[in-house]
């Protein structure tokens, strides 16, 4: 939850639309980019769901990853 919350906050700061919903896997077929967050891997892009392929990583995923890594570096340097 901590990584997800940070990515949501970063997304809002960057003007990226955030849509958190419980949805069936079929709903991912309409997405332009798909990624998941986890404290062990930060942001992990998804290459494919079923037959649907995605840019991996896509532009938004790259921006969010860069911003998250900068945030992590700043917070760990401060401690």
């Amino acid at each position: 939850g901590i990584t997800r919350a940070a990515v949501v906050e970063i997304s809002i700061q960057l003007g990226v639309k955030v849509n958190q919903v419980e949805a069936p896997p079929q709903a991912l077929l309409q997405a332009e980019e798909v990624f998941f967050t986890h404290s062990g891997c930060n942001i992990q892009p998804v290459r494919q769901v079923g037959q649907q392929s995605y840019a991996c990583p896509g532009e938004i995923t790259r921006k969010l990853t860069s911003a998250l890594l900068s945030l992590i570096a700043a917070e760990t340097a401060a401690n």
Side-chain angles (χ1 to χ4, degrees):
I2 294 170
T3 301
R4 179 183 51 81
V7 171
V8 168
E9 185 176 321
I10 290 167
S11 298
I12 293 167
Q13 291 172 359
L14 294 176
V16 175
K17 181 181 174 184
V18 176
N19 190 12
Q20 296 182 81
V21 297
E22 288 188 32
Q26 296 83 2
L28 297 175
L29 302 177
Q30 298 173 353
E32 294 177 25
E33 290 185 44
V34 176
F35 62 83
F36 65 89
T37 62
H38 187 276
S39 59
C41 64
N42 297 324
I43 298 175
Q44 182 64 46
V46 174
R47 227 178 261 288
Q48 187 170 344
V49 174
Q51 299 299 314
Q52 177 69 37
S53 296
Y54 304 97
C56 188
E59 179 182 346
I60 293 171
T61 304
R62 285 193 301 272
K63 285 181 183 179
L64 294 175
T65 299
S66 176
L68 180 62
L69 293 176
S70 293
L71 175 64
I72 291 168
E75 288 188 0
T76 53
N79 294 323

